[in-house]
Amino acid sequence: MTASPEVARRRTFAIIAHPDAGKTTLTEKLLLFGGAIQLSGAVKARGQQRRARSDWMKVEQERGISVTASVMTFEHQNCVFNLLDTPGHEDFSEDTYRTLTAVDSAVMVIDAAKGIEAQTRKLFEVCRLRDVPIITFINKMDREGRDAFSIMDEIEKELALDVTPATWPIGMGREFLGCYNLLADQLLFMEREGAKDRARQALACQGLADPQLDRLLPKHAVATLREEVEMVRELCPPFDLDSYRAGHLTPIFFGSALNNFGVRELLAGLVGMAPSPRQQKALQRRVDPHEDQVTGFVFKIQANMDPKHRDRIAFLRLCSGHFRRGIRMLHVRSGKLLNIHNPQLFLAQDRDRAEEAWAGDILGLPNHGNLRIGDTLTEGEELHFTDIPSFAPELLRKVRPDDPMRAKHLERTLRQLGEEGAARVFKTHLSSEWIIGVLGVLQFEVLADRIKTEYDLPVHYEGTPIHTARWLESADSLRLKAFFNGNTAAMAEDHDGSPVFLARNAWHLETAVKEWPEIHFLKTKEQFIR
Ligand code: G4P
């Protein structure tokens, strides 16, 4: 194993936020400052281009939400950033959760007026499960918002996280002048959008007592700044890299993405603080990113990114090794060898063939359905990366083709969508009907639209009395069979034939669990595989 500088300069991260906090704006500004795009507005333009190319994303367009996570790679200050975009709408949280398994750190965006919101909390909890280090960006400081102390207090109390400011705001709303960079001792001025002056350079200071501050800022603003920083230094622990990397402490940057303010400092924070690729947990052992052999896992499958090619892209997070195009890799689940001829890298505005890649990078692998979420690829070792979450569906509906003659076609389509991880699909044992299970109600609509546009198959939904689904597992195959035979009306199979129990209500499930102690009723398929 040789420590590679290529691995050390990777920063693979995601932005987590409640819808409307400013994730899209911040993403765009990060790409802009990172030199990946030339003009502001390109993230949206790119989105529109994509929509024009892909019909099923009409739903996305109409709803004004981002359904699918994508990856953007850019280089800045000798670091390679892999920014994994996460869908903001809560109905698509499963995709977001999975994306978070593929990052080494996250940026949490909070609207200064709103503080922590429902989705922020949920996403944070996922990060906490894996000790993902978090940098916080308090956005929209140009608007009247909440007092900085109260937001920090909320983060500390609600998320049980130590906080320490990296920058400190000078004023707020219309009175917002900029920030003092506490880590670099710099005065940062904000130029509002539309201001004619070019953004002023950060001004180096000799600490807060520097008389320059008295010359450049209004008297009351300097006095407040000095007083507040003194208080904050008493109240907050100093920045500690180890504590941040362990996920215990979050440095806070204040800014306004819309006004390009605070973004440069945030990027510098990612360069200086955010971890390079971390070790990944596999069932058999921990995998170090500097190991020579290439390993990775699939965390997302996306269909029809380009309708001209009816392929599916599996997103592979590389966990170790130096990947080269053409490499032969073992697909651990099937035991087959795959030749990786056409791996894609996702640059901010385009995708490109990847000649080589390193741990931390995200590769897109076109395939025809042989790769699934959670699959591990290695150069020969039997490894299974773990902790890729899959959730028991909370909403279930019967799905039927508008044309009853096309039931076979529906079956093929649903099996594919099930493999892709777009939804849970179950075929009932007695009536051979198909049930779709999702986490958010909007997913039903997106799926129906996809089935119609991608598979040319109009479908409709019908209600079902089913309350929830559980995968069944048991070391005792006879008992499993007995359960199956005794409950045929509630039995189904998923897309690859695994047995599933469809409970009519909570009591039905509880009784089954109590009466059949030898059988595990699992909420997630991953537990089942492992
Ligand atoms: P999201 O991806 O987290 O959902 O948020 P998005 O970036 O789309 O931002 C949501 C709204 O907040 C947008 O306004 C955006 O312009 C605004 N916004 C983002 N950052 C800032 C900021 O620093 N200051 C202020 N004042 N506003 C900010 P919109 O009116 O909903 O959309 P648009 O018409 O501006 O695109």
Side-chain angles (χ1 to χ4, degrees):
M1 182 160 69
T2 42
S4 162
E6 282 297 335
V7 174
R9 73 190 191 106
R10 258 60 185 176
R11 301 284 181 279
T12 301
F13 73 106
I15 301 180
I16 59 172
H18 190 85
D20 251 13
K23 183 164 64 72
T24 312
T25 314
L26 182 64
T27 301
E28 182 177 274
K29 298 301 165 77
L30 284 171
L31 295 176
L32 192 67
F33 281 78
I37 53 174
Q38 302 307 319
L39 278 176
S40 182
V43 171
K44 280 188 183 152
R46 192 186 63 95
Q48 268 148 18
Q49 264 175 23
R50 206 178 51 194
R51 284 176 203 124
R53 281 193 274 132
S54 171
D55 252 348
W56 72 265
M57 290 190 184
K58 267 193 298 203
V59 179
E60 176 177 337
Q61 196 173 11
E62 281 160 15
R63 295 275 178 169
I65 54 165
S66 162
V67 177
T68 47
S70 55
V71 185
M72 283 168 275
T73 298
F74 62 97
E75 262 194 78
H76 176 68
Q77 285 191 2
N78 199 33
C79 276
V80 175
F81 290 95
N82 295 307
L83 168 51
L84 276 61
D85 189 18
T86 51
H89 196 284
E90 59 182 322
D91 275 3
F92 296 90
S93 48
E94 192 174 8
D95 224 9
T96 305
Y97 290 148
R98 290 202 193 114
T99 296
L100 291 176
T101 63
V103 300
D104 301 301
S105 72
V107 171
M108 175 166 73
V109 183
I110 292 177
D111 182 329
K114 303 209 172 120
I116 293 174
E117 298 175 84
Q119 189 78 344
T120 337
R121 200 173 296 114
K122 264 192 181 172
L123 293 167
F124 171 78
E125 289 306 333
V126 181
C127 290
R128 162 149 291 167
L129 281 177
R130 308 181 62 250
D131 296 326
V132 172
I134 291 178
I135 293 181
T136 302
F137 186 80
I138 312 276
N139 192 28
K140 307 196 189 182
M141 291 300 292
D142 59 311
R143 282 203 194 152
E144 290 313 319
R146 283 169 41 188
D147 164 44
F149 284 103
S150 114
I151 304 175
M152 291 202 315
D153 196 46
E154 187 177 66
I155 299 173
E156 193 177 358
K157 296 223 166 81
E158 283 221 18
L159 306 183
L161 196 61
D162 287 341
V163 294
T164 194
T167 62
W168 190 256
I170 306 170
M172 161 151 312
R174 270 192 295 177
E175 308 279 295
F176 183 60
L177 299 173
C179 280
Y180 189 84
N181 187 339
L182 296 164
L183 300 178
D185 272 315
Q186 288 172 332
L187 183 60
L188 313 163
F189 286 104
M190 186 183 82
E191 301 296 331
R192 282 173 195 269
E193 206 184 34
K196 291 209 176 65
D197 304 356
R198 301 234 327 266
R200 277 193 257 176
Q201 291 292 314
L203 194 83
C205 294
Q206 305 289 325
L208 278 160
D210 195 326
Q212 285 193 97
L213 295 175
D214 300 282
R215 277 205 313 278
L216 293 165
L217 294 171
K219 209 167 162 197
H220 68 278
V222 188
T224 313
L225 171 68
R226 287 184 177 137
E227 198 180 307
E228 289 182 344
V229 170
E230 197 174 319
M231 270 170 76
V232 97
R233 283 188 169 144
E234 266 170 38
L235 292 170
C236 299
F239 177 72
D240 177 69
L241 191 64
D242 291 339
S243 182
Y244 155 69
R245 295 237 173 124
H248 302 322
L249 172 140
T250 180
I252 300 191
F253 292 82
F254 291 86
S256 167
L258 190 66
N259 291 288
N260 301 323
F261 182 75
V263 180
R264 216 185 292 271
E265 287 66 39
L266 178 64
L267 260 176
L270 284 162
V271 171
M273 304 170 183
S276 54
R278 310 195 298 167
Q279 286 194 344
Q280 296 282 339
K281 251 198 280 175
L283 204 59
Q284 293 76 2
R285 63 184 183 88
R286 280 178 170 272
V287 175
D288 190 278
H290 295 281
E291 289 177 19
D292 298 328
Q293 299 266 309
V294 178
T295 64
F297 64 86
V298 175
F299 66 94
K300 180 185 167 63
I301 306 271
Q302 191 164 334
N304 292 8
M305 285 175 75
D306 184 347
K308 273 185 286 182
H309 307 281
R310 282 187 67 89
D311 59 1
R312 283 184 262 173
I313 302 280
F315 288 83
L316 183 81
R317 147 91 200 206
L318 288 178
C319 300
S320 64
H322 178 194
F323 174 93
R324 291 180 198 84
R325 191 166 72 82
I327 194 172
R328 268 160 84 85
M329 293 197 74
L330 173 69
H331 179 229
V332 177
R333 182 170 50 78
S334 67
K336 287 189 182 139
L337 286 172
L338 304 178
N339 286 318
I340 315 283
H341 285 307
N342 194 21
Q344 311 280 308
L345 266 186
F346 299 86
L347 306 174
Q349 284 173 301
D350 220 341
R351 53 172 157 149
D352 207 358
R353 198 154 75 173
E355 294 301 331
E356 56 176 358
W358 304 83
D361 285 340
I362 310 295
L363 291 176
L365 307 181
N367 76 103
H368 297 292
N370 45 346
L371 292 176
R372 297 185 190 171
I373 289 168
D375 280 357
T376 299
L377 299 186
T378 69
E379 283 193 76
E381 189 179 349
E382 290 271 335
L383 272 182
H384 295 90
F385 286 107
T386 50
D387 292 347
I388 300 151
S390 166
F391 301 84
E394 287 168 9
L395 300 165
L396 296 125
R397 281 188 195 165
K398 215 178 277 177
V399 57
R400 289 182 195 273
D402 289 356
D403 174 358
M405 303 300 287
R406 303 190 68 196
K408 272 272 156 248
H409 194 48
L410 179 70
E411 169 150 358
R412 267 200 309 276
T413 303
L414 292 179
R415 283 193 195 280
Q416 277 196 17
L417 291 173
E419 280 170 19
E420 188 190 302
R424 306 280 161 273
V425 298
F426 309 111
K427 187 181 185 184
T428 57
H429 179 67
L430 286 184
S431 52
S432 293
E433 285 173 321
W434 282 93
I435 310 280
I436 287 191
V438 295
L439 283 178
V441 74
L442 206 56
Q443 258 174 297
F444 283 125
E445 232 179 289
V446 173
L447 282 166
D449 199 64
R450 284 192 58 184
I451 295 172
K452 185 164 155 226
T453 50
E454 288 174 31
Y455 299 91
D456 189 25
L457 182 67
V459 295
H460 58 274
Y461 294 107
E462 286 171 18
T464 151
I466 298 162
H467 166 68
T468 190
R470 291 289 184 272
W471 280 268
L472 301 178
E473 186 193 42
S474 178
D476 186 341
S477 56
L478 286 178
R479 289 297 285 162
L480 195 58
K481 202 160 179 202
F483 179 80
F484 194 102
N485 292 336
N487 292 277
T488 44
M491 292 308 300
E493 60 177 52
D494 72 358
H495 60 276
D496 46 30
S498 307
V500 176
F501 175 62
L502 301 174
R504 288 187 305 279
N505 48 43
W507 178 83
H508 190 197
L509 177 62
E510 271 167 38
T511 318
V513 172
K514 223 183 283 163
E515 288 177 1
W516 297 82
E518 319 79 353
I519 297 178
H520 300 299
F521 293 78
L522 303 173
K523 274 184 163 184
T524 71
K525 182 72 184 288
E526 274 66 19
Q527 288 173 282
F528 179 76
I529 294 168
R530 291 173 184 120

